[in-house]
Amino acid sequence: MIEVLVAVSVLALLMGAVGNTVLHGGDAYKQGLGNAVLEGQTRRLLDRISSEFSDVDRSSLTPNPVMSFWASTVSYARCQGWAGGAMVVGPTRSLRFALAGGEVDNGIDDNGNGVIDERSVLLVPDTGTPAVRIALGEYVRELAEGELPNGADDNANGLIDEAGLFFLHDGNGTLSISLTLERPDAWGRLVTRTLRTAVRMRND
């Protein structure tokens, strides 16, 4: 009888260990899947944003976010060719960091999608006709990952209260772009992903 009780106890311990492993393995799988989905979404949006600047006349960048003076909304003109040795540029375009549809800047998830004060990225192909806007992506975090709206450099990157989308120009034609998306995964857990890239703009 004692041997049977010992065997049952050992078996119960083994079953508990296996169940615990399976449970934690399932959680890890869900977390990994949620991260992968959001990373793909962030990468696609960042690539779309960066493609806007590969043929930009850098002298047209407004504001010019040099050094620690980042910007989250910028205007610019793209090169359309050359004539008489001079660059020919198209209409002034704009990338705007704006509140997502249904959101109010009030610390509440107004549109009910699980993200507070969510932002979106809007492209205005011609600022002369600002009513024409193209939505490039949503679920953009109000502030960069690790930042709080407190006038301090919380994420220790040398910038203060930077937005979930921000631009920095090194002054020599290279534009750095940082994008942070945040959204609930399929299991309702909030996932955050930040990606960065750099684009070389055209000379003056």
Side-chain angles (χ1 to χ4, degrees):
M1 179 66 74
I2 294 175
E3 291 177 351
V4 172
L5 289 175
V6 170
V8 169
S9 299
V10 171
L11 182 60
L13 288 172
L14 288 174
M15 292 293 287
V18 170
N20 192 44
T21 301
V22 170
L23 179 62
H24 286 295
D27 286 342
Y29 168 77
K30 290 177 181 179
Q31 183 176 1
L33 181 60
N35 288 339
V37 169
L38 187 59
E39 176 152 359
Q41 182 181 356
T42 308
R43 174 58 61 192
R44 287 189 296 273
L45 180 53
L46 184 61
D47 287 346
R48 177 63 185 87
I49 293 169
S50 62
S51 70
E52 280 291 306
F53 296 94
S54 59
D55 58 355
V56 163
D57 171 16
R58 74 180 188 223
S59 66
S60 71
L61 191 65
T62 307
N64 190 353
V66 179
M67 304 301 290
S68 61
F69 298 100
W70 58 268
S72 59
T73 294
V74 293
S75 297
Y76 51 93
R78 299 172 70 174
C79 174
Q80 293 187 331
W82 297 82
M87 184 186 298
V88 177
V89 298
T92 299
R93 300 164 72 88
S94 178
L95 273 174
R96 301 185 179 181
F97 184 66
L99 280 166
E103 281 290 343
V104 178
D105 194 6
N106 57 4
I108 300 173
D109 175 22
D110 298 287
N111 61 9
N113 68 352
V115 182
I116 295 173
D117 293 346
E118 168 198 4
R119 263 52 175 182
S120 63
V121 182
L122 301 177
L123 169 64
V124 179
D126 185 346
T127 57
T129 54
V132 179
R133 301 182 177 192
I134 301 170
L136 299 186
E138 296 186 337
Y139 293 104
V140 185
R141 201 170 187 266
E142 179 183 12
L143 294 174
E145 190 171 4
E147 278 294 324
L148 298 172
N150 57 5
D153 178 19
D154 300 290
N155 58 9
N157 66 349
L159 307 174
I160 294 175
D161 292 351
E162 65 268 24
L165 169 66
F166 68 90
F167 305 91
L168 271 178
H169 183 204
D170 70 352
N172 295 308
T174 298
L175 184 69
S176 296
I177 308 168
S178 178
L179 175 67
T180 299
L181 297 194
E182 184 173 70
R183 67 176 301 175
D185 62 14
W187 297 273
R189 293 176 294 191
L190 205 59
V191 181
T192 305
R193 190 72 178 109
T194 298
L195 292 177
R196 299 177 179 85
T197 191
V199 182
R200 182 72 181 172
M201 297 182 292
R202 289 183 177 270
N203 293 331
D204 300 332

